[in-house]
Amino acid sequence: MVHSYLRHGPTQAFGLICSNSSNSKYDDKVGYVPALEDVLVWDMKKGQQLAMWHETGHRAEVTCIERSPQGNVFGIGYADGSIRLWDSGSSSVIATFNGHKKAVTALAFDNEGVRLASGSQDTDLIIWDIVAEAGLYRLRGHRNEVTGIRFLVRHTTPSTSTDSLSSILLTVSKDTLMKVWDLSTQHCMQTVVAHRAEIWSMDVSPDQKYLFTGSNDGDLKAWRINYEAIADGLRESESGEIDKIIHFTASLPLALHHRVSHVLFHPFQPYFAVQSHERSVEREKEKKEKEKAGSTITETKRTSDEGDTKPDEITLPSLFAPLLVVRASGKVRSFDFGTRDAGKGKAGVQIFVALASNALEVYDIPPPTTSKGETLEATRAYALDLPGHRNNVRTLCLSSDDQVLVSGANGSLKVWNMKTTACIRTMDCGYAVCSSFLPGDRHVAVGTKSGEILIYDLASSTLVDSVKAHKATVWSLHVRPDGKVLVSGGADKEVKFWEFQQEAAAYPKKSFSLVHARTLKMSDDVLSVRYSPNGKLLAVSLLDATVKIFYQDSLKFFLSLYGHKLPVSCMDISDDSKLIVTGSSDKNVKIWGLDFGDCHKSIFAHEEGITQVFFEKRSHYFWTVGRDRLLKYWDGDKFENIQKLEGHHSEIWALAVSNHGNFVVTGSHDKSIRVWEKLDEPLFLEEEREREIENVFERGLVDSLNHDEPGGETSGQLSAEVTTVAKQTTETLVAGERIMEALDLADSELKALREFEEKKARESEAVNLQPPPRNPVLAALDLQPEAYVLRVVEKVPSTALHDALLVLPFTKVISLMYYLNVWAQMGWNVTLVARIVFFLLRVHHHQIVANKLMRTSLIPMRNHLRGALRQEKDTVGYNLAALQYMRQKHEAEGIASFWGQDLEGDEAQELAREGKKRKRVSVRL
């Protein structure tokens, strides 16, 4: 009989406030921040997590966040090149776009929120149609990672040129180039060598007049946008030069010449912020600070209104004056202004700062003053840092009832409720390296890098005892099974034994302490110490790659386990005290017998060094984690890998196994803590290996298809500035296979019906002929073959439809054309039919033209499709006319109600001219 195991799966991830992989967004006390593969929504005022945007099965990190003008739609770019549109109200995915081959680094919505431009590390730009959920085209021209994208829309231009201006795109890249693209003709209008070093950021002023770019060498440059050149096109001046769209204006001086990571204009107020790295100048005062030079633009309107004819090189620097520097409590990853206008009643603005140390802060920026002597300072309004560590998680330990988890990092010790994953205690400590609950679960012992053992009382969150146990790092702690002795191993080549001492209640701060009992000196640094569960043996691993086994009562030498090539960093002993498993930096796990010290098996377990290993309670199954970011589950009797779990994005340093065997907890360098629970789903090793092989094959197939796609083009097309948007994924391959299966099923069903009709027509005595049995699938769904194929095609996501149709061979395309003709004739989903027809005609144009048989099916399809589209056009026109009538009626009623409130006639007429929605007004009676 085949042995089965129980599968484990990821259930919860906590301890992460924000990650360093992406920018952040802020709006009205709500922050939208990246958290590895998720996006977290925080209420900064209350310090509560409002939502987590998580898609099951997706593991790529968030690399870019951009908000749509529609407000509730966010574009999220990921490290695998995919883009997802999220609805902030329902926390669900609206659409998924796949087109880039590398991480998405820049996103921008147009003014109406119907188009999305994306830039990536693969140097490509892709324009997406959000309404049709399809990629329009791919623009190529940059030679390095695209770092900034902006649409140009100037609201004060005449309506005749609005369409041309809204189709202008600005991009900057690390190749030092800034490009101006005309999206209506899909070509590059101007290329500017903007900086001598990599361009890291760009932003356009709210009035769309000026453009600012920041580079890697600390330069901040201002550029003027010439809208006349855009409207007139590429014309030659009197000197014979072509009018340029982007003109260099001036360089703005910064206090420090470090990389300009981010430049940003406030959307409403006259403020401009710059983030640049400070490495050495300000380190004396505060480590790893960032400069935020908030500058006013209050003079801009006055200068333009007066019609100043002076050149911009002179006037622009005078429009910007340094206001203040915001010094955050840690290294700044990104920042953002609030997107909503504070209003006339509120003075100043707020700036939202996401720190690289897993924390968020909001600062109040005071309004500028007229007095020269007064220096302005930003005040911190909100701070969010409790639900996570500032540094990587180095140690985890669980209470005996699995209800409480303690995590330790450099500088802090946190206590978590495992049911709610809420942080219930935070205590200051040194650099925590190892930890262990003490008997009774009321105290925790923590070993630090400085050689101290700290005892914390969880109920009062106080440090009750501190012992200078070792002269160097305390690498390991373990409590003897009888709960009377704590053993510690350190880098000072000593193993020390400590007894617990409960003191009188008269000294509450010293109610629990450690008393040194004896010391065992070793020949090398001690990396790990473990008692056997039966209390007879003590295992000590050393820096010389050996493990020494001693009798715990007399400390006499018993066994030496030799075989690892590098130091044994971790080990554990099974509950029956028969097996000991050791993990080493040589990437191997060795399973030994404790009877004679024989090595049962040596397994190459991880691609990098192994950091922790633990047996599951009451079994010979054990868990390992390593620097390769993987958690693995093993059978210690059959020496088989049961399951491989992926989830963390950096090295895994800490591991804790449930005392009841229900779950495991891992802590990583990415500052996240993840819980992996045992499920009821059975797992068979053969099926698991087959699934892994299939995943490898599918990944290889997708990579080969995406790699061969440009390779199959001609050399002229390779250098083309505009190409189509196509990227094959596992989902598109599966969708294409489903369409082919549906076509085969429908064709066979129609062929059987056709043969039956022919036979019925030939034979005179056709009364006794029975019709062929229907296909079970069609009979179960009660659908005709044509309706069944349409149902399968409609289930394909709109964003993956084009790539799925590319999978079809030409014979299947001919078969699909017949069904498209039927659908157009019946008027079924005309929009989808037209989209598929036009795409197939464009892709397979040469084959269709060369095939004479296609002419007989294309002519009736043209007639049917024209009639169906004409009917759709009439319906849309009727609806538009009705909507316009409703809007006019609504505006007329609004103006009438305003007149009834004794408003001035000029105001009502102005409202009618604007054609805007009515706003609240205060009327004095």
Side-chain angles (χ1 to χ4, degrees), residues 676-731:
W676 315 79
E677 287 191 4
K678 184 178 289 185
L679 310 175
D680 295 332
E681 180 185 353
L683 181 147
F684 299 95
L685 293 180
E686 294 79 7
E687 294 180 0
E688 194 70 13
R689 298 294 91 79
E690 289 177 2
R691 186 179 301 174
E692 291 177 1
I693 293 173
E694 287 178 1
N695 292 336
V696 172
F697 172 74
E698 288 177 353
R699 283 197 296 267
L701 178 61
V702 169
D703 292 342
S704 64
L705 287 174
N706 291 325
H707 181 70
D708 294 342
E709 177 197 346
E713 299 176 351
T714 62
S715 59
Q717 287 175 326
L718 258 178
S719 58
E721 198 173 59
V722 182
T723 58
T724 57
V725 180
K727 180 186 178 184
Q728 293 293 345
T729 62
T730 307
E731 292 76 15

Side-chain angles (χ1 to χ4, degrees), residues 114-305:
V114 296
R115 286 180 301 173
L116 174 66
S118 62
S120 168
Q121 289 179 355
D122 61 9
T123 73
D124 290 347
L125 289 167
I126 298 181
I127 310 301
W128 306 91
D129 187 341
I130 296 176
V131 178
E133 296 185 358
L136 298 177
Y137 42 86
R138 185 192 305 266
L139 299 173
R140 288 176 173 164
H142 284 293
R143 294 291 178 264
N144 206 334
E145 173 185 327
V146 179
T147 55
I149 305 175
R150 288 293 183 272
F151 280 92
L152 277 188
V153 180
R154 193 179 181 193
H155 305 289
T156 58
T157 55
S159 59
T160 55
S161 61
T162 302
D163 295 337
S164 63
L165 288 178
S166 62
S167 62
I168 301 299
L169 192 71
L170 291 173
T171 61
V172 294
S173 169
K174 288 186 177 180
D175 59 5
T176 73
L177 300 179
M178 175 168 52
K179 286 180 176 286
V180 185
W181 305 83
D182 186 351
L183 300 185
S184 59
T185 57
Q186 301 172 14
H187 79 284
C188 180
M189 301 173 65
Q190 182 183 354
T191 300
V192 181
V193 181
H195 291 268
R196 295 182 178 180
E198 298 175 346
I199 305 176
W200 274 75
S201 56
M202 171 188 67
D203 200 17
V204 179
S205 61
D207 58 4
Q208 302 275 312
K209 289 183 179 180
Y210 295 103
L211 168 71
F212 285 79
T213 57
S215 70
N216 195 31
D217 57 2
D219 284 343
L220 180 64
K221 292 185 178 181
W223 310 78
R224 182 174 56 84
I225 303 172
N226 185 4
Y227 286 94
E228 295 179 357
I230 298 176
D232 298 340
L234 299 179
R235 293 185 178 181
E236 290 187 1
S237 60
E238 296 178 355
S239 60
E241 296 181 355
I242 297 177
D243 288 341
K244 295 181 180 180
I245 300 170
I246 304 296
H247 295 269
F248 173 71
T249 302
S251 292
L252 294 182
L254 290 178
L256 297 169
H257 292 282
H258 295 297
R259 184 177 73 203
V260 180
S261 306
H262 195 188
V263 294
L264 185 65
F265 279 93
H266 193 284
F268 310 110
Q269 302 290 337
Y271 291 102
F272 172 64
V274 180
Q275 174 191 346
S276 66
H277 288 244
E278 296 183 10
R279 297 182 179 175
S280 57
V281 177
E282 294 291 334
R283 185 167 291 185
E284 296 178 0
K285 296 180 180 179
E286 193 172 355
K287 293 182 179 179
K288 296 182 180 178
E289 297 173 348
K290 292 289 174 294
E291 177 184 354
K292 297 273 182 308
S295 308
T296 65
I297 326 171
T298 52
E299 298 290 327
T300 306
K301 291 183 179 179
R302 183 180 61 81
T303 306
S304 60
D305 291 341

Side-chain angles (χ1 to χ4, degrees), residues 754-773:
R754 200 178 303 114
E755 291 176 353
F756 170 72
E757 294 295 337
E758 292 175 357
K759 189 174 182 181
K760 186 177 179 180
R762 285 197 307 267
E763 298 181 10
S764 58
E765 298 178 359
V767 181
N768 297 328
L769 282 178
Q770 296 292 330

Side-chain angles (χ1 to χ4, degrees), residues 785-830:
E786 298 87 351
Y788 174 70
V789 177
L790 178 61
R791 177 171 176 168
V792 172
V793 174
E794 285 177 338
K795 286 186 176 180
V796 178
S798 179
T799 54
L801 181 60
H802 287 178
D803 293 325
L805 293 173
L806 289 175
V807 178
L808 302 181
F810 187 65
T811 55
K812 298 299 179 186
V813 172
I814 297 175
S815 177
L816 183 59
M817 283 292 188
Y818 164 76
Y819 296 101
L820 290 170
N821 183 26
V822 175
W823 299 342
Q825 184 179 0
M826 301 296 292
W828 293 344
N829 204 339
V830 179

Side-chain angles (χ1 to χ4, degrees), residues 269-563:
Q269 302 290 337
Y271 291 102
F272 172 64
V274 180
Q275 174 191 346
S276 66
H277 288 244
E278 296 183 10
R279 297 182 179 175
S280 57
V281 177
E282 294 291 334
R283 185 167 291 185
E284 296 178 0
K285 296 180 180 179
E286 193 172 355
K287 293 182 179 179
K288 296 182 180 178
E289 297 173 348
K290 292 289 174 294
E291 177 184 354
K292 297 273 182 308
S295 308
T296 65
I297 326 171
T298 52
E299 298 290 327
T300 306
K301 291 183 179 179
R302 183 180 61 81
T303 306
S304 60
D305 291 341
E306 292 175 358
D308 197 347
T309 58
K310 294 182 180 180
D312 288 326
E313 287 81 355
I314 300 174
T315 61
L316 185 67
S318 63
L319 302 182
F320 295 86
L323 182 65
L324 54 82
V325 175
V326 179
R327 303 194 184 278
S329 60
K331 182 180 179 182
V332 177
R333 171 57 182 87
S334 65
F335 72 94
D336 190 28
F337 286 115
T339 57
R340 295 188 181 179
D341 195 351
K344 296 181 179 179
K346 296 183 180 179
V349 296
Q350 285 188 333
I351 191 166
F352 173 80
V353 179
L355 303 181
S357 58
N358 195 27
L360 303 173
E361 294 178 343
V362 176
Y363 288 88
D364 285 330
I365 309 298
T369 60
T370 56
S371 59
K372 296 182 179 180
E374 185 179 356
T375 58
L376 298 177
E377 289 188 2
T379 57
R380 188 166 68 179
Y382 311 116
L384 183 63
D385 55 3
L386 288 180
H389 287 285
R390 304 285 74 75
N391 295 285
N392 54 316
V393 181
R394 288 303 302 261
T395 177
L396 295 171
C397 61
L398 278 164
S399 61
S400 58
D401 57 359
D402 294 338
Q403 298 294 317
V404 177
L405 173 74
V406 171
S407 62
N410 183 10
S412 63
L413 190 74
K414 291 185 178 289
V415 183
W416 308 84
N417 184 339
M418 286 303 296
K419 284 187 176 180
T420 62
T421 66
C423 179
I424 54 179
R425 294 283 190 276
T426 299
M427 294 163 280
D428 295 333
C429 70
Y431 196 131
V433 177
C434 55
S435 62
S436 175
F437 267 93
L438 300 183
D441 290 340
R442 297 188 59 183
H443 299 85
V444 173
V446 179
T448 65
K449 198 170 185 179
S450 59
E452 293 180 322
I453 297 179
L454 310 176
I455 306 296
Y456 288 92
D457 186 343
L458 297 184
S460 60
S461 303
T462 55
L463 175 66
V464 296
D465 194 14
S466 176
V467 180
K468 182 64 177 175
H470 295 268
K471 298 177 182 177
T473 306
V474 180
W475 285 116
S476 181
L477 293 174
H478 197 221
V479 179
R480 202 166 68 184
D482 60 5
K484 296 181 178 179
V485 174
L486 175 72
V487 62
S488 64
D492 57 356
K493 305 179 183 180
E494 290 182 346
V495 178
K496 292 189 176 182
F497 300 86
W498 310 84
E499 293 180 352
F500 306 126
Q501 183 175 350
Q502 295 275 359
E503 297 189 7
Y507 303 96
K509 293 185 179 180
K510 199 75 173 174
S511 60
F512 194 94
S513 60
L514 297 178
V515 178
H516 181 237
R518 51 182 175 170
T519 301
L520 176 64
K521 293 187 178 294
M522 307 301 297
S523 59
D524 214 331
D525 292 6
V526 179
L527 299 182
S528 180
V529 289
R530 301 294 294 181
Y531 277 110
S532 63
N534 60 10
K536 293 183 179 180
L537 302 175
L538 173 68
V540 181
S541 70
L542 303 178
L543 194 63
D544 60 5
T546 63
V547 177
K548 310 290 186 185
I549 312 293
F550 299 91
Y551 291 104
Q552 72 89 15
D553 50 0
S554 61
L555 296 184
K556 287 186 177 180
F557 177 76
F558 174 50
L559 291 171
S560 179
L561 309 180
Y562 178 81

